Amino acid sequence: MQNRSIRLLVLLFCAVGVLALYLYAQQPREQINVNVYREQTDLTDRWWVQYQLAEPVTRLEFIRTPDQSRVARWSPESGEFMIAVAANGNEYIQRVDQQPFQFVSFELTPTYTYLEQDYAPFSPYSDGGMAWFSGRFKVCPESCEFAGQFRFYFTMQSAPTDSIVIPTESATEALSWYESADDGLMVYVGEQRPSQSGMPLLIDQGIPASLQSELRNSLEPMLNYFAARLGALETAPMVFASYSSTSNGRYGNQGGVIGSQLFVHWYGMALEDRMIEPTFVNDTLWFFAHEVAHLYQRNLFDNDHAWIHEGSAEWMAYRYLESIGVSASYLESRLARAERLCAEANPDDRIRQDYACGMLLAKRIDEALLREYPFGIYYFWQEFLARSNEHSEQYTVFQETLEELTHHQFASALLRSAP
């Protein structure tokens, strides 16, 4: 009888907890209005962001602070405001006199800047277009400790000839939409119009024609390859590819996946010069294969164990390039590079740990599974995805899936060597 009472009490507490979460989810979330404006001429390209709040606040804290570059790159329209850095490293907006406010406006620096731990705020197109990342502009009144309670009403305004494009809709001159406190969206503003059928492509016309052709011809077969192994995507991805010069001598490329959007930005040295490098085409294919792999991972990311999705995406890129006949010498060089970077990585070097060491771990999983399952690492991800949901503890599901598809000894040894 006592055990039965305890079980009933546990069930009651669980029911109360579920009800509390449900009631919290049903509560109206506080809305923050974020207005982004663009004014472009032949000589200038000026951008502003304005925040409008329903109630006065003493500060607005940014959800994402990969560095403190807003301090230099955002200029308050009024000298009464400033951007400061808190003791925890997060940037925030406040009045100089620390009095409450409901409205604030900043002029922005709309140029490409490399952020190692986040997406670039602006990715310029050589024809005057722009892709910008909405997550850069999300703030919380006072503190972001409970950021999920806020929703953001974005409005983008630009020239009457400009298209404004997000995954769900597009318009000319002005567009408004809602977002939660999650990552954000890439927003295109410019004269290009996305295709109305197939995969929406927003490719910078300043990119060399041969590279544009390579992108258009390679992406569809790449998507088909992953769909055959991990199931078709619900919606076709929106692809951004842009290029801009730099004044500091740096060059490279950066990109990623947000939801159903895949983007890459090349910066610095002229692409025509870089394309003559022996590995440029294969490096570009590897980059896109890695990012396409993320699309098919269905946002199943665990930032505390990022080696799982980053390492798997690296190894899937290897497997894809192998499938289309890329030279063995190139693939061997990528594998050797991962082995070297992993061996040199220190515990604080998350990039090398997650990408290089993660790739080697994914390779071990693939090799173990191929003895029994023809799709190897892809079969593992099929099972991992099938057993996961938004409420599951992903690392636990990963561990359980690995043990079931291999065996306990293999899984334990692999996880002990993981970052």
Side-chain angles (χ1 to χ4, degrees):
M1 179 65 72
Q2 185 177 8
N3 288 340
R4 183 171 179 272
S5 299
I6 292 173
R7 286 197 299 270
L8 288 172
L9 188 61
V10 169
L11 289 172
L12 178 61
F13 276 118
C14 289
V16 170
V18 169
L19 179 62
L21 288 172
Y22 174 79
L23 292 175
Y24 173 77
Q26 303 309 307
Q27 290 178 352
R29 290 183 287 176
E30 184 175 341
Q31 178 172 304
I32 299 167
N33 295 321
V34 186
N35 303 315
V36 182
Y37 299 90
R38 183 189 200 187
E39 184 180 285
Q40 189 178 32
T41 68
D42 292 339
L43 299 176
T44 63
D45 187 13
R46 301 181 67 186
W47 289 69
W48 294 265
V49 63
Q50 298 177 348
Y51 295 100
Q52 181 73 54
L53 302 124
E55 301 291 337
V57 299
T58 59
R59 71 162 61 181
L60 290 173
E61 181 177 89
F62 289 95
I63 292 179
R64 305 168 79 100
T65 303
D67 62 7
Q68 285 81 46
S69 60
R70 291 186 189 91
V71 174
R73 292 174 61 86
W74 290 36
S75 300
E77 289 282 274
S78 165
E80 296 174 343
F81 288 90
M82 62 181 289
I83 293 179
V85 180
N88 63 3
N90 289 349
E91 291 174 303
Y92 64 92
I93 299 167
Q94 70 172 21
R95 284 179 59 101
V96 174
D97 60 11
Q98 300 185 21
Q99 292 301 302
F101 62 94
Q102 286 179 261
F103 176 85
V104 62
S105 177
F106 290 87
E107 184 166 1
L108 307 169
T109 305
T111 56
Y112 177 80
T113 182
Y114 178 84
L115 300 179
E116 185 170 314
Q117 299 294 330
D118 207 352
Y119 308 117
F122 291 99
S123 296
Y125 281 60
S126 58
D127 62 0
M130 183 75 76
W132 59 273
F133 174 48
S134 66
R136 177 74 169 172
F137 299 92
K138 294 182 180 180
V139 295
C140 310
E142 309 302 348
S143 167
C144 287
E145 184 178 1
F146 301 105
Q149 67 185 292
F150 305 110
R151 72 171 182 169
F152 301 86
Y153 185 64
F154 278 90
T155 297
M156 174 73 220
Q157 291 184 273
S158 190
T161 56
D162 276 346
S163 291
I164 303 167
V165 183
I166 61 174
T168 54
E169 56 187 314
S170 63
T172 55
E173 189 171 5
L175 181 65
S176 298
W177 68 95
Y178 284 101
E179 292 189 30
S180 68
D182 293 340
D183 281 348
L185 297 172
M186 292 301 292
V187 183
Y188 172 79
V189 183
E191 296 186 354
Q192 287 198 44
R193 305 289 191 269
S195 58
Q196 298 302 308
S197 60
M199 189 189 316
L201 300 174
L202 291 163
I203 297 179
D204 192 330
Q205 297 307 296
I207 291 174
S210 58
L211 180 55
Q212 291 189 46
S213 178
E214 182 72 38
L215 294 177
R216 296 179 191 278
N217 294 334
S218 298
L219 283 171
E220 199 71 42
M222 194 179 291
L223 290 168
N224 291 339
Y225 171 90
F226 282 94
R229 289 153 179 79
L230 294 170
L233 299 172
E234 291 184 7
T235 58
M238 176 177 286
V239 179
F240 301 75
S242 54
Y243 167 75
S244 64
S245 59
T246 57
S247 58
N248 58 8
R250 293 188 64 173
Y251 68 92
N253 64 275
Q254 188 182 29
V257 164
I258 305 175
S260 63
Q261 297 176 299
L262 188 161
F263 55 95
V264 60
H265 182 76
W266 285 276
Y267 58 92
M269 189 170 72
L271 280 176
E272 291 89 345
D273 296 333
R274 287 156 64 182
M275 286 177 64
I276 64 175
E277 296 172 1
T279 65
F280 181 86
V281 171
N282 287 339
D283 288 344
T284 301
L285 287 172
W286 184 288
F287 170 86
F288 275 95
H290 175 106
E291 299 304 337
V292 167
H294 283 324
L295 289 173
Y296 285 87
Q297 288 172 344
R298 269 74 172 188
N299 293 313
L300 190 61
F301 298 157
D302 180 348
N303 288 326
D304 292 331
H305 304 93
W307 64 269
I308 294 173
H309 61 267
E310 296 295 359
S312 292
E314 282 288 273
W315 184 244
M316 289 176 185
Y318 180 104
R319 290 282 306 275
Y320 174 73
L321 266 66
E322 183 180 49
S323 76
I324 61 172
V326 167
S327 69
S329 61
Y330 176 80
L331 295 173
E332 288 166 3
S333 71
R334 294 293 305 223
L335 185 56
R337 179 175 179 269
E339 291 169 344
R340 175 176 56 80
L341 291 177
C342 183
E344 295 172 353
N346 62 59
D348 297 325
D349 190 345
R350 297 307 310 171
I351 299 296
R352 292 188 180 190
Q353 294 267 3
D354 294 338
Y355 285 75
C357 301
M359 174 181 166
L360 300 178
L361 292 170
K363 176 177 180 287
R364 287 170 57 187
I365 295 171
D366 192 35
E367 291 170 344
L369 291 177
L370 282 170
R371 298 168 191 150
E372 188 172 351
Y373 306 102
F375 281 155
I377 189 70
Y378 300 104
Y379 181 71
F380 175 84
W381 271 87
Q382 288 177 23
E383 292 296 307
F384 185 27
L385 289 165
R387 300 167 192 223
S388 300
N389 58 58
E390 59 182 323
H391 305 297
S392 58
E393 208 290 309
Q394 291 176 9
Y395 184 74
T396 301
V397 177
F398 177 89
Q399 183 178 14
E400 292 171 348
T401 306
L402 186 61
E403 288 187 356
E404 184 171 324
L405 296 183
T406 58
H407 52 78
H408 176 75
Q409 186 177 358
F410 173 86
S412 296
L414 183 135
L415 295 175
R416 281 196 302 270
S417 64

